[in-house]
Amino acid sequence: MSETVRTFPTRPFVGASIAVIRDGRVLLAARANEPMRGVWTLPGGLVEAGEALAEAARRELAEEVGLDATVVAVLSPTEIIEHDAEGRVRHHYVVHPHAALWCGGEPVAGPEALGVRWATLDEVAGLATTPGLVGTLSEAFAAVARQAAESAA
């Protein structure tokens, strides 16, 4: 879908993202496309018709950075709404993030990512990120910790 089609939408776009956790760090990608080019975020993108949210998140992870992961939890959605100078809705996305565990391999930035990095939650706080990312990551780290505790029990 081209950028012009996503600008000034008549309804929100549904997206899915994935917080892949590895050794106390989360995988981030720097956005290659507008809106928010160059800003750090989770790998993700639009959900295709007929695609489940978790499937979309894993597909986007593979497309953007060449990895797979095991989804362990669905997290709280994030709304990204931007208005132009006249107050019109320029962008509106509802993103459904997922917490996941790294399965192996090293990420490589694809065409939708300017770069990739593993970061701690403290490091993320000092980066330019998409709205609500720190809260989503806090929820993701908590979900992964719960899953680890349940697996150990």
Side-chain angles (χ1 to χ4, degrees):
M1 205 176 277
S2 72
E3 174 62 25
T4 57
V5 174
R6 294 186 190 183
T7 305
F8 302 105
T10 58
R11 71 185 90 190
F13 287 97
V14 177
S17 64
I18 190 163
V20 179
I21 309 293
R22 171 188 182 185
D23 300 327
R25 296 181 180 275
V26 64
L27 178 63
L28 300 177
R31 290 184 51 80
N33 301 318
E34 294 294 346
M36 295 182 259
R37 179 179 165 82
V39 172
W40 292 98
T41 194
L42 298 175
L46 295 182
V47 178
E48 297 175 359
E51 186 176 42
L53 292 170
E55 291 171 4
R58 289 182 62 223
R59 175 185 51 77
E60 288 288 343
L61 178 66
E63 289 176 5
E64 288 186 25
V65 301
L67 291 183
D68 193 14
T70 303
V71 173
V72 298
V74 178
L75 308 173
S76 301
T78 299
E79 279 193 285
I80 300 171
I81 304 171
E82 295 181 351
H83 295 87
D84 70 3
E86 290 87 42
R88 296 178 301 167
V89 175
R90 181 173 178 78
H91 297 286
H92 187 173
Y93 297 92
V94 179
V95 181
H96 296 270
H98 297 74
L101 295 172
W102 173 72
C103 291
E106 292 303 325
V108 176
E112 295 180 18
L114 296 175
V116 294
R117 67 178 288 178
W118 294 99
T120 65
L121 195 52
D122 287 342
E123 291 168 337
V124 172
L127 299 174
T129 64
T130 50
L133 185 63
V134 172
T136 296
L137 295 181
S138 295
E139 191 178 350
F141 278 104
V144 166
R146 276 192 309 276
Q147 192 272 343
E150 289 170 6
S151 294

